[in-house]
Amino acid sequence: MAAPLELRDRLLAVLRAADTTFFAEDWRRLRPAPALEDHAREVRRHLSARPPADVLAELLPTAARVGPGERVRLDKLQIDEVQVAPRPLVIVPSARVWPHLTVKHEHPSCVVVQYAARGTAPDGQLTPRDLHHRLMALTSPARMELCRHMLGEPITTSELAARLGSSESQVSRALRTLRDAGLVRSTRDGKLVRHRLATDVIRRLGLDVLATVAR
């Protein structure tokens, strides 16, 4: 430690080399995935408008807000309560940690939470949060009506709006909710984008409920 700046530079060089050698290709494949970048943007949007304890309680299926202040109760390998404010909160969505949750809050500088981002469960398995998200997307009568019109044929946003007597912006918001839950698939056909109900996903919901509860 006689030359800390030199040590830092050497350590950073080793980490950069390790990143290039071991992780660059993996990150190249994972980074464009909606499960990470789109999910991170959504979380940032929520954090800018709501208390962090509320956001964590929604993100993590085993988390719940407790008592006054920004405290969250986490059920991981052991039960723990974490004060998530006013300390900085670092939230790390991952495609590699499912179904584990890692929380580090021993150091006073910050709280770090690493968790499986929505849609990253392996082999098509749903996390409890994924299943909740999927079921909640179907609780709206308006979205259910939208699903009925996408059942038989691919259809555009403007055609859906005309059939339902709604604005295209309203239909787009409903479609985004259904698509984020994996219930709608959208494909581009020239200048048009057509939407179709993911009937195979809807058909599996009953088995998914049973498998998620039994796991």
Side-chain angles (χ1 to χ4, degrees), residues 178-189:
L178 292 167
R179 191 166 49 244
D180 288 347
L183 302 175
V184 166
R185 298 188 179 106
S186 300
T187 55
R188 181 168 290 279
D189 180 13

Side-chain angles (χ1 to χ4, degrees), residues 79-174:
I79 305 298
D80 201 359
E81 286 191 14
V82 180
Q83 182 83 25
V84 296
R87 286 188 293 174
L89 174 64
V90 180
I91 301 179
V92 186
S94 174
R96 289 287 182 255
V97 300
W98 190 93
H100 302 293
L101 168 68
T102 303
V103 181
K104 296 293 184 183
H105 63 104
E106 295 80 7
H107 197 276
S109 61
C110 68
V111 178
V112 180
V113 178
Q114 183 184 40
Y115 66 99
R118 189 178 63 236
T120 59
D123 302 322
Q125 292 179 329
L126 290 179
T127 66
R129 183 61 65 188
D130 292 334
L131 181 62
H132 174 78
H133 186 61
R134 193 161 286 181
L135 293 174
M136 288 302 293
L138 294 173
T139 59
S140 162
R143 289 195 291 268
M144 285 292 287
E145 180 66 18
L146 202 63
C147 289
R148 279 192 281 273
H149 287 279
M150 290 184 289
L151 181 59
E153 57 180 336
I155 187 170
T156 66
T157 302
S158 58
E159 289 170 336
L160 284 166
R163 288 190 187 184
L164 297 170
S166 302
S167 68
E168 289 192 29
S169 61
Q170 289 175 314
V171 171
S172 293
R173 285 194 295 271

